[in-house]
Amino acid sequence: QVQLVESGGGLVQAGGSLRLSCAASGRTFSSAAMGWYRQAPGKERELVASILSGGGINYADSVKGRFTISISRDNAKNTVSLQMNSLKPEDTGVYYCNVRSPGGVAYDYWGQGTQVTVSS
């Protein structure tokens, strides 16, 4: 059974930092793309950052220079982390971990979400 276990959300003041982690287990994710999305109240879910199996990385323009995504892989567990620095109130939302096959055809898994709140 595939599990995505997220941790690291919380409340922080503007300018502060948080680190999110997502541990994915239950199958081999050797070719998976792993990433983080967020959803603010009343808004659609949006990509924050993703990393492909080949190492390519994408960031939303709004987080470039402030957030860093990283990944560690082994056969049993893969962990994707998001270091968030210089946080702004507009970064507030529920952050979701995502693991998907190329194109999302074979599998597309989501974590349960972790709340990030940045106070001004």
Side-chain angles (χ1 to χ4, degrees), residues 15-89:
S17 298
L18 285 173
R19 184 176 179 85
L20 306 181
S21 290
C22 172
S25 61
R27 66 170 295 161
T28 301
F29 295 109
S30 57
S31 61
M34 302 184 73
W36 290 92
Y37 290 71
R38 69 186 178 193
Q39 187 164 20
K43 294 188 176 182
E44 293 186 352
R45 191 174 296 186
E46 62 175 357
L47 173 69
V48 177
S50 66
I51 184 165
L52 306 179
S53 59
I57 294 176
N58 296 308
Y59 291 103
D61 288 342
S62 60
V63 307
K64 285 180 180 177
R66 300 188 296 121
F67 291 10
T68 303
I69 190 170
S70 60
I71 193 169
S72 63
R73 299 183 187 267
D74 62 38
N75 287 334
K77 189 169 69 175
N78 294 259
T79 301
V80 57
S81 299
L82 186 68
Q83 178 66 41
M84 305 185 294
N85 299 328
S86 302
L87 282 161
K88 304 176 180 180

Side-chain angles (χ1 to χ4, degrees), residues 93-105:
V94 179
Y95 283 67
Y96 297 91
C97 173
N98 174 254
V99 179
R100 66 180 56 175
S101 62
V105 175

